[in-house]
Amino acid sequence: MAENEQRAPVRRYEIRVSVSGDDWPSAVRQLREMADHVEEHGPTCELVSGGYRSGGYVMILHDPDQSHDGYAQQLQDWLANRRREGGRA
Protein backbone atom coordinates (compact mmCIF):
# COMPACT_ATOMS: atom_id res chain seq x y z
CA MET A 1 0.00 0.00 0.00
CA ALA A 2 1.34 3.40 -0.94
CA GLU A 3 2.07 5.78 1.91
CA ASN A 4 -0.76 8.15 1.01
CA GLU A 5 -3.26 5.40 0.16
CA GLN A 6 -6.15 5.17 2.58
CA ARG A 7 -6.83 1.77 4.14
CA ALA A 8 -10.19 0.20 3.39
CA PRO A 9 -12.65 0.36 6.28
CA VAL A 10 -13.23 -2.72 8.41
CA ARG A 11 -16.21 -4.05 10.29
CA ARG A 12 -16.50 -4.35 14.07
CA TYR A 13 -14.45 -7.57 14.08
CA GLU A 14 -11.50 -8.24 11.82
CA ILE A 15 -9.77 -11.62 11.87
CA ARG A 16 -6.30 -11.62 10.34
CA VAL A 17 -4.88 -15.02 9.57
CA SER A 18 -1.52 -16.06 8.22
CA VAL A 19 -0.87 -19.70 7.39
CA SER A 20 2.12 -21.30 5.73
CA GLY A 21 3.00 -24.88 5.03
CA ASP A 22 5.58 -27.06 3.38
CA ASP A 23 2.84 -28.41 1.13
CA TRP A 24 -0.79 -27.64 0.31
CA PRO A 25 -2.41 -30.32 2.51
CA SER A 26 -0.36 -29.19 5.52
CA ALA A 27 -1.33 -25.55 5.02
CA VAL A 28 -5.02 -26.40 4.63
CA ARG A 29 -4.96 -28.64 7.71
CA GLN A 30 -3.32 -25.82 9.69
CA LEU A 31 -6.00 -23.38 8.52
CA ARG A 32 -8.80 -25.74 9.58
CA GLU A 33 -7.25 -26.28 13.01
CA MET A 34 -6.87 -22.54 13.49
CA ALA A 35 -10.48 -21.89 12.45
CA ASP A 36 -11.67 -24.49 14.97
CA HIS A 37 -9.57 -22.80 17.67
CA VAL A 38 -10.98 -19.35 16.86
CA GLU A 39 -14.55 -20.67 16.91
CA GLU A 40 -13.97 -22.45 20.22
CA HIS A 41 -12.26 -19.52 22.00
CA GLY A 42 -14.27 -16.64 20.57
CA PRO A 43 -13.29 -13.05 19.90
CA THR A 44 -10.63 -12.89 22.62
CA CYS A 45 -8.66 -15.68 20.94
CA GLU A 46 -4.93 -15.27 20.44
CA LEU A 47 -3.02 -17.90 18.52
CA VAL A 48 0.47 -18.52 17.28
CA SER A 49 1.06 -22.02 16.02
CA GLY A 50 4.05 -23.77 14.56
CA GLY A 51 4.85 -27.33 13.79
CA TYR A 52 7.06 -29.47 11.63
CA ARG A 53 5.14 -28.91 8.38
CA SER A 54 3.03 -25.80 8.96
CA GLY A 55 2.39 -22.80 11.15
CA GLY A 56 0.65 -19.51 11.40
CA TYR A 57 -0.99 -16.92 13.56
CA VAL A 58 -4.40 -15.38 14.20
CA MET A 59 -4.93 -11.79 15.25
CA ILE A 60 -8.39 -10.51 16.12
CA LEU A 61 -9.05 -6.80 16.04
CA HIS A 62 -12.19 -5.41 17.66
CA ASP A 63 -13.57 -1.92 17.30
CA PRO A 64 -16.59 -1.76 19.65
CA ASP A 65 -17.57 1.64 18.25
CA GLN A 66 -17.96 0.37 14.69
CA SER A 67 -21.55 -0.17 13.58
CA HIS A 68 -22.98 -1.76 10.46
CA ASP A 69 -24.23 1.62 9.21
CA GLY A 70 -20.93 3.29 10.05
CA TYR A 71 -19.03 0.63 8.10
CA ALA A 72 -21.39 0.95 5.12
CA GLN A 73 -20.90 4.72 4.98
CA GLN A 74 -17.12 4.46 5.40
CA LEU A 75 -17.01 1.89 2.59
CA GLN A 76 -19.02 4.09 0.24
CA ASP A 77 -16.74 7.04 1.02
CA TRP A 78 -13.63 4.92 0.52
CA LEU A 79 -14.88 3.57 -2.83
CA ALA A 80 -15.78 7.05 -4.05
CA ASN A 81 -12.33 8.30 -3.07
CA ARG A 82 -10.66 5.41 -4.91
CA ARG A 83 -12.67 6.17 -8.06
CA ARG A 84 -11.75 9.87 -7.88
CA GLU A 85 -8.07 8.95 -7.62
CA GLY A 86 -8.34 6.57 -10.55
CA GLY A 87 -7.73 3.46 -8.46
CA ARG A 88 -9.55 0.19 -8.65
CA ALA A 89 -12.68 0.04 -6.54
Side-chain angles (χ1 to χ4, degrees):
M1 180 182 321
E3 186 174 318
N4 62 348
E5 189 174 342
Q6 185 182 17
R7 185 172 180 263
V10 295
R11 294 180 183 263
R12 182 171 292 180
Y13 287 95
E14 180 179 3
I15 303 173
R16 296 182 185 179
V17 178
S18 176
V19 174
S20 60
D22 292 342
D23 53 54
W24 184 252
S26 296
V28 171
R29 184 171 38 259
Q30 179 71 38
L31 180 59
R32 283 189 184 122
E33 291 171 2
M34 291 169 77
D36 289 343
H37 182 89
V38 169
E39 185 173 27
E40 181 179 326
H41 291 88
T44 59
C45 165
E46 294 180 356
L47 178 63
V48 175
S49 177
Y52 183 73
R53 293 191 151 297
S54 63
Y57 68 87
V58 173
M59 182 180 355
I60 299 177
L61 304 174
H62 177 222
D63 178 358
D65 297 326
Q66 181 64 291
S67 67
H68 174 79
D69 292 339
Y71 168 77
Q73 184 60 56
Q74 292 165 10
L75 181 60
Q76 291 304 313
D77 295 346
W78 181 79
L79 290 171
N81 189 45
R82 297 269 300 170
R83 287 185 196 105
R84 275 194 304 276
E85 293 175 359
R88 293 178 54 190

